[in-house]
């Protein structure tokens, strides 16, 4: 019943059995452990460091931790690609809860980069005491005297930085989880801080709290689906480990076959919810609109990346050999996602909601690459996730800077004529929009090519999906060009809307995101090669 | 193999549990739902004990019925015992569509899961054999501290996040100095308002709860005597009912003295 038990007969206190400890490769796990450790230290900083120096301490600690984790990843963990945090099975291999392999390392490194950029934008103060995007006191009733008092007293919710780190640790584990149980827990570890961060916006607090509650309820609901699916797959294969599930499938025609497809679909619901694929997308616009803008950018980039990483692992390590039973349904989901995301983005009047619907459409494009069932598909998806994430963080950082009367001016009509008054900002935003649209010489074009090309080669379904994808892209081009026309060729009497001058931190994040969007469009070879060489899963 | 007593116990408890679980979904009042849930949890514990997993059964009852249910009841206490779900449809036809899709899903799941045949059971003797796994307590220990130790440790990140979240969303740091009783009394005298303090609630013969307002000399209730939270929630008892009873008593006393 329990493998590897009784294998060693050391005559310990219990009759006949001794605990076989799990093996840990601490070098492989070091980036995750550092992020978790720094997050815990951040909680202590919150408790012991006085209010005056708390902002500097938290931001410094968080950035130092993320950079240290990234260095450990590229210098140490890459040389320890192995399955770890599990028991040794017969033959010396480890049945690991965490699998550090090419895709896991690639995605973890990207998440750390996204997290550094995200923290840089979240830490923007714009001359205030604490981070500008976050409320001074989360527990104060919106608009109450308590809130004003908290503002005057110089309080801030600097807890957002340790919370972000916890989310980052969950995101790093999510695509590297070797069993569905660890995957479920890391899903919760990444989601719970995001629910909290969503509800802490400084302005339009009620919308923010509503978004947080919606996200929490729907997220909990989808987690329950994931868990139910895990239970069914456990019933099917007798194990939650993905390699065991994969091994159970080819024996096919067993009397337990009825558990497989419902299990796969229920797990898929949990994962597709996180990427915002279409029947499970309804939370995206509300949450993206309500969350503090830097959090939206970080969430849009990193959550999508982590969730697609988990989908890749479940699909390619666990359930690929049963793909004829489930991939048609996921193909329908991909097509619906592209069409609904593209069409609904046409009708939007709020910049954040528009980018939210555009992120739904992008989730559809990425799903096309996932369904290529090919190593080039894996590398294409990973490349897409990197380029989309960098563009998204920069785009949301710019949205956070366009303001009227101190609050963000997110209504599209307020953006009219922005190109004349602030050519640099509007120009950068226009460039990022062109990347979303997939115009050549931007990373969006290379990325779309990287996911559509393997899909075209995969067969008839892939071709249909690519055709729908191209049509959906054409629709989104219209949406993005409309904003560019609005910014440059429309007159506006509204002089209240202006771009505030950000600190050097936000400037770095925007510059890096925009520069990489250009670099990956013009000279993508290096990253394409890296993602191709990192596309082999450890089974 | 399943023993007869075990099978009889399972079918009785299992049926009751399914009924209670359906009740959890369909009852209107939150308290009834909580009771249904407690019933399911306790019976789950009983089932574990029947399967010779005494430790798991007791822990199930301790943790779920003891701790988790208490949390539910605390929440119920905060939102008020009378609260029930709003059943107004915000999207037209949503409920019908929900029923149809839910029924369809139930049928599909029933057909898919009903088609399986379970393999022969190992039997409790084989599973609890001390030579092979050491019974269910050490079996749980091996899973938690051996095979799934990473998942188990990872849960701590979740707990820390939950604790910070509760603090961020619910804890109000005191920004102004807390006034002592002496300062409050001095302030009352200085401002010459309610120098003797606010009136106490519930000074009736029939009722002395804090939700019953005091009556002013002319018989009108004084809102000052009850908590403003209760006033805004509309949970203040009206003194009218006591009025009538009191008048009846007074009438009786008058009758008695007249006789």
């Amino acid at each position: 019943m329990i493998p590897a038990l009784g294998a060693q007969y050391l005559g310990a206190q219990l009759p006949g059995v001794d605990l076989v400890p799990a093996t840990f490769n601490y070098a492989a796990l070091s980036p995750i452990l550092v992020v978790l450790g720094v997050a815990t230290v951040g909680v202590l900083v919150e408790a012991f460091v006085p209010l005056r120096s708390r902002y500097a301490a938290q931001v410094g600690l968080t950035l130092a931790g993320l950079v240290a984790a990234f260095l450990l990843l590229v210098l140490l963990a890459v040389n320890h690609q192995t399955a770890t945090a599990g028991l040794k099975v017969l033959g010396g291999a480890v049945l690991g809860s965490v699998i550090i392999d090419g895709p896991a390392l690639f995605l973890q490194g990207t998440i750390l980069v996204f997290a550094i950029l995200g923290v840089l934008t979240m830490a923007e103060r714009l001359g205030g005491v604490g981070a500008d995007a976050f409320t001074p006191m989360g527990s104060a009733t919106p608009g109450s005297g308590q809130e004003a008092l908290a503002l005057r007293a110089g309080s801030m919710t600097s807890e957002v930085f340790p919370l972000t780190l916890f989310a980052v640790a969950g995101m790093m584990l999510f695509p590297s989880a070797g069993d569905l149980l660890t995957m479920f827990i890391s899903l919760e570890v990444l989601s719970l801080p995001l629910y909290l961060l969503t509800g802490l916006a400084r302005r339009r607090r009620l919308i923010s709290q509503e978004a947080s509650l919606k996200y929490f309820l729907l997220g909990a609901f989808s987690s329950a689906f994931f868990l139910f699916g895990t239970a069914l797959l456990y019933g099917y294969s007798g194990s939650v480990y993905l390699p065991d599930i994969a091994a159970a499938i080819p024996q096919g025609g067993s009397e337990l076959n009825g558990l497989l497809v419902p299990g796969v679909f229920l797990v898929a619901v949990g994962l597709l919810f996180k990427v915002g694929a279409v029947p499970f997308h309804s939370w995206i616009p509300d949450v993206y609109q309500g969350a503090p803008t830097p959090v939206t950018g970080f969430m849009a980039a990193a959550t999508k990346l982590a969730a697609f990483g988990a989908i890749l692992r479940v699909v390619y390590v666990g359930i690929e050999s049963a793909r004829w039973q489930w991939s048609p349904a996921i193909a329908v989901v991909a097509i619906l996602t592209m069409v609904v995301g593209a069409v609904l983005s046409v009708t939007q009047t709020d910049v954040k909601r528009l980018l939210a619907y555009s992120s739904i459409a992008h989730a559809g494009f990425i799903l096309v690459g996932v369904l290529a069932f090919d190593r080039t598909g894996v590398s294409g998806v990973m490349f897409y996730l990197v380029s989309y994430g960098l563009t998204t963080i920069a785009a949301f950082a710019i949205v956070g800077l366009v303001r009227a009367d101190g609050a963000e001016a997110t209504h599209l009509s307020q953006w009219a004529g922005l190109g004349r008054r602030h050519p640099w900002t509007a120009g950068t935003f226009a460039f990022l929009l062109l990347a979303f649209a997939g115009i050549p010489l931007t990373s969006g074009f290379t990325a779309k090519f990287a996911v559509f090309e393997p899909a075209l080669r995969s067969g008839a379904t892939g071709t249909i999906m690519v055709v729908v994808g191209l049509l959906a892209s054409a629709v989104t081009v219209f949406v993005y060009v409309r904003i560019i026309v609005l910014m440059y060729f429309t007159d506006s009497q509204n002089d209240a809307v202006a771009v505030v001058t950000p600190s050097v931190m936000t400037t770095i994040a925007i510059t890096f995101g925009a520069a990489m969007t250009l670099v990956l469009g013009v000279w993508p070879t290096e990253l394409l090669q890296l993602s191709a060489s990192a596309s082999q899963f450890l089974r | 193999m399943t023993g007869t007593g075990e099978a009889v116990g399972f079918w009785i408890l299992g049926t009751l549990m399914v009924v209670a679980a359906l009740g959890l979904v369909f009852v209107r009042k939150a308290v009834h739902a909580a009771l249904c849930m407690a019933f399911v949890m306790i019976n789950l514990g009983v089932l574990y004990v029947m399967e010779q997993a005494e430790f798991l059964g007791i822990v199930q009852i301790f943790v779920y019925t003891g701790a988790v249910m208490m949390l539910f009841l605390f929440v119920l206490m905060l939102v008020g015992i009378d609260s029930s779900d709003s059943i107004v449809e915000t999207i037209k036809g949503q409920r019908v569509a929900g029923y149809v899709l839910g029924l369809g899903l139930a049928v599909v799941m029933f057909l898919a899961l009903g088609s399986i045949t379970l393999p022969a059971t190992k039997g409790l003797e084989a599973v609890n054999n001390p030579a092979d796994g050491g019974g269910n307590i050490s079996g749980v220990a091996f899973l938690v501290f051996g095979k799934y130790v990473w998942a188990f440790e990872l849960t701590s990140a979740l707990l820390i996040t939950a604790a910070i979240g509760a603090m961020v969303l619910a804890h109000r740091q005191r920004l102004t100095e807390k006034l002592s009783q002496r300062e409050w009394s001095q302030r009352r005298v200085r401002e010459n308002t309610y120098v003797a303090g606010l009136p106490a609630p519930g000074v009736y013969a029939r009722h002395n709860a804090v939700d019953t307002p005091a009556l002013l000399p002319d018989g009108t209730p004084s809102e000052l005597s009850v908590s403003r939270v209760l006033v805004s929630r509309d949970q203040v008892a009206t003194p009218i009912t006591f009025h009538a009873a009191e008048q009846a008593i007074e009438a009786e006393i008058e009758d008695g003295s007249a006789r």
Side-chain angles (χ1 to χ4, degrees):
Chain A
M1 179 200 157
I2 306 161
L5 283 189
Q8 283 159 311
Y9 193 82
L10 297 177
Q13 302 87 335
L14 288 164
V17 213
D18 192 22
L19 174 67
V20 183
T23 37
F24 287 95
N25 186 334
Y26 287 104
L29 291 170
S30 57
I32 297 171
L33 292 176
V34 163
V35 172
L36 279 174
V38 173
T40 321
V41 175
V43 177
L44 294 177
V45 166
E46 201 55 46
F48 293 111
V49 173
L51 194 61
R52 278 175 282 108
S53 39
R54 210 180 284 163
Y55 170 84
Q58 287 286 24
V59 174
L61 183 72
T62 307
L63 286 175
L66 288 169
V67 170
F70 186 76
L71 290 178
L72 278 173
L73 184 96
V74 291
L75 297 178
L76 188 63
V78 279
N79 302 319
H80 293 83
Q81 301 199 12
T82 174
T84 181
L87 296 181
K88 275 207 172 73
V89 289
L90 291 175
V94 176
L95 190 59
S97 293
V98 183
I99 298 181
I100 303 296
D101 54 8
L105 286 167
F106 185 90
L107 296 172
Q108 286 183 354
T110 316
I111 287 167
L112 286 171
V113 173
F114 287 177
I116 292 170
L117 297 178
V119 168
L120 285 176
T121 53
M122 280 182 214
E124 178 63 60
R125 290 202 279 189
L126 293 176
V129 215
D132 178 72
F134 297 99
T135 171
M137 185 183 264
S139 54
T141 315
S144 65
Q146 176 91 8
E147 199 179 27
L149 203 62
L151 193 62
R152 269 209 305 282
S155 353
M156 56 182 141
T157 36
S158 43
E159 290 93 344
V160 293
F161 296 105
L163 283 175
T164 310
L165 282 178
F166 278 119
V168 169
M171 287 166 180
M172 289 170 73
L173 264 173
F174 199 34
S176 15
D179 65 89
L180 291 173
L181 195 66
T182 307
M183 197 173 267
F184 173 73
I185 297 174
S186 41
L187 171 68
E188 293 302 306
V189 171
L190 85 86
S191 304
L192 212 55
L194 290 180
Y195 302 149
L196 289 165
L197 291 175
T198 303
L200 292 175
R202 183 184 288 261
R203 302 172 189 88
R204 305 182 80 189
R205 291 266 321 273
L206 286 177
I207 263 193
S208 165
Q209 291 180 346
E210 184 191 332
S212 174
L213 188 67
K214 268 183 189 165
Y215 194 13
F216 173 64
L217 289 178
L218 291 173
F221 197 48
S222 79
S223 298
F225 277 107
F226 186 92
L227 203 55
F228 192 17
T230 304
L232 292 183
L233 287 178
Y234 179 74
Y236 173 75
S237 64
S239 169
V240 289
Y241 287 84
L242 291 172
D244 289 347
I245 294 172
I249 290 171
Q251 297 160 5
S254 81
E255 54 269 31
L256 289 175
N257 243 4
L259 293 173
L260 175 64
V261 177
V264 166
F265 280 134
L266 289 171
V267 166
V269 168
L271 294 172
L272 290 173
F273 172 85
K274 274 288 153 206
V275 303
V278 154
F280 324 106
H281 68 292
S282 53
W283 61 278
I284 291 234
D286 290 340
V287 173
Y288 279 24
Q289 188 187 16
T293 310
V295 173
T296 311
F298 170 66
M299 193 161 67
T303 313
K304 189 154 278 175
L305 181 122
F308 266 111
I311 289 179
L312 283 178
R313 186 168 297 279
V314 168
V315 165
Y316 284 79
V317 178
I319 55 175
E320 189 183 2
S321 44
R323 72 188 205 215
W324 302 115
Q325 299 180 52
W326 55 264
S327 65
I330 307 294
V332 171
V333 168
I335 290 174
L336 271 178
T337 308
M338 290 185 285
V339 171
V340 171
V343 170
L344 287 185
S345 62
V346 176
T347 60
Q348 298 309 312
T349 53
D350 184 284
V351 180
K352 282 169 94 176
R353 281 185 92 83
L354 190 145
L355 290 179
Y357 276 104
S358 126
S359 99
I360 296 174
H362 282 285
F365 300 143
I366 304 174
L367 265 182
V368 172
V370 171
L371 292 174
F373 298 108
D374 187 359
R375 256 190 85 170
T376 52
V378 176
S379 66
V381 166
M382 293 199 300
F383 181 86
Y384 200 115
L385 290 167
V386 175
S387 65
Y388 171 75
L390 291 169
T391 314
T392 303
I393 291 180
F396 276 107
I398 291 179
V399 170
L401 295 179
V402 180
R403 306 226 167 171
D405 303 327
E408 283 163 18
T410 53
H411 198 273
L412 271 186
S413 63
Q414 292 174 297
W415 285 57
L418 199 71
R420 306 214 177 146
R421 280 172 283 137
H422 300 276
W424 274 99
T425 316
T428 316
F429 194 69
F431 175 67
L432 296 173
L433 288 179
L434 291 178
F436 282 138
I439 304 295
L441 294 185
T442 64
S443 63
F445 176 77
T446 334
K448 280 214 176 65
F449 186 78
V451 292
F452 285 167
E453 193 265 339
L456 268 182
R457 278 192 285 112
S458 70
T461 325
T463 316
I464 296 171
M465 285 192 290
V466 170
V467 170
V468 175
L470 292 177
L471 291 176
S473 301
V475 175
T476 57
V477 169
F478 164 73
V479 178
Y480 301 130
V481 169
R482 203 184 54 172
I483 301 180
I484 296 173
V485 169
L486 188 73
M487 286 195 299
Y488 280 96
F489 303 105
T490 313
D491 277 328
S492 163
Q493 279 75 47
N494 194 354
D495 286 337
V497 180
V499 176
V500 289
T501 315
S503 69
V504 67
M505 290 188 290
T506 310
T507 317
I508 290 176
I510 295 175
T511 315
F512 185 78
M516 286 307 284
T517 305
L518 180 66
V519 168
L520 295 181
V522 180
W523 194 48
T525 334
E526 295 280 314
L527 190 68
L528 277 175
Q529 274 171 358
L530 183 66
S531 66
S533 66
S535 61
Q536 183 62 49
F537 282 103
L538 201 67
R539 276 160 223 271
Chain B
M1 292 309 293
T2 315
T4 322
E6 199 188 326
V8 170
F10 171 77
W11 284 107
I12 294 175
L13 291 184
T15 318
L16 289 175
M17 278 166 71
V18 170
V19 171
L22 287 174
L24 171 63
V25 180
F26 288 111
V27 292
R28 283 276 151 77
K29 285 211 166 171
V31 183
H32 297 164
L35 285 177
C36 284
M37 180 131 154
F39 184 83
V40 174
M41 293 300 175
I42 291 175
N43 278 323
L44 203 57
V46 173
L47 282 185
Y48 282 141
V49 173
M50 267 167 47
E51 298 281 349
Q52 296 181 14
E54 294 86 359
F55 174 73
L56 212 55
I58 302 295
V59 166
Q60 167 78 23
I61 292 177
F62 270 22
V63 172
Y64 280 94
T65 322
V68 177
M69 282 311 299
M70 281 307 113
L71 285 180
F72 271 110
L73 292 180
F74 273 129
V75 172
L76 273 184
M77 206 170 78
L78 288 176
V79 299
I81 200 153
D82 295 326
S83 68
S84 57
D85 290 339
S86 157
I87 46 168
V88 181
E89 273 189 309
T90 43
I91 304 171
K92 222 174 156 57
Q94 191 186 21
R95 197 179 313 155
V96 177
Y99 279 131
V100 170
L101 287 174
L103 202 68
L105 183 69
V107 169
V108 169
M109 290 295 275
F110 190 77
L111 289 178
L113 299 186
S115 72
I116 64 168
T117 38
L118 293 169
T121 49
K122 270 187 179 173
L124 288 173
E125 287 77 22
V127 173
N128 287 340
N129 185 6
D132 185 38
N136 69 77
I137 296 181
S138 34
V140 169
F142 283 129
L143 290 178
V144 170
F145 298 110
K147 199 176 182 186
Y148 296 115
V149 68
W150 176 257
F152 183 67
E153 296 291 336
L154 189 58
T155 318
S156 61
L158 214 52
L159 292 177
I160 298 175
T161 312
I164 307 176
M167 293 295 279
V168 167
L169 291 182
H171 173 69
R172 268 184 209 174
Q173 214 177 346
R174 184 168 282 285
L175 297 167
T176 47
E177 200 132 316
K178 192 180 180 195
L179 291 182
S180 67
Q181 200 170 4
R182 167 184 284 268
E183 282 160 332
W184 272 114
S185 68
Q186 283 168 348
R187 189 164 133 182
R188 277 204 303 271
V189 172
R190 202 180 330 117
E191 294 175 359
N192 198 20
T193 47
Y194 311 121
V195 176
L198 292 169
V203 280
Y204 295 104
R206 289 276 178 120
H207 205 289
N208 63 355
V210 287
D211 66 341
T212 316
L215 293 187
L216 295 175
D218 61 350
T220 52
S222 161
E223 285 211 341
L224 284 172
S225 64
V226 285
S227 160
R228 63 193 167 85
V229 175
L230 292 178
V231 175
S232 65
R233 274 194 195 167
D234 241 357
Q235 284 180 337
V236 178
T238 49
I240 307 301
T241 48
F242 308 113
H243 232 118
E246 217 161 289
Q247 278 170 348
I249 295 171
E250 274 167 19
E252 259 176 45
I253 295 171
E254 270 174 36
D255 279 2
S257 57
R259 244 182 267 142

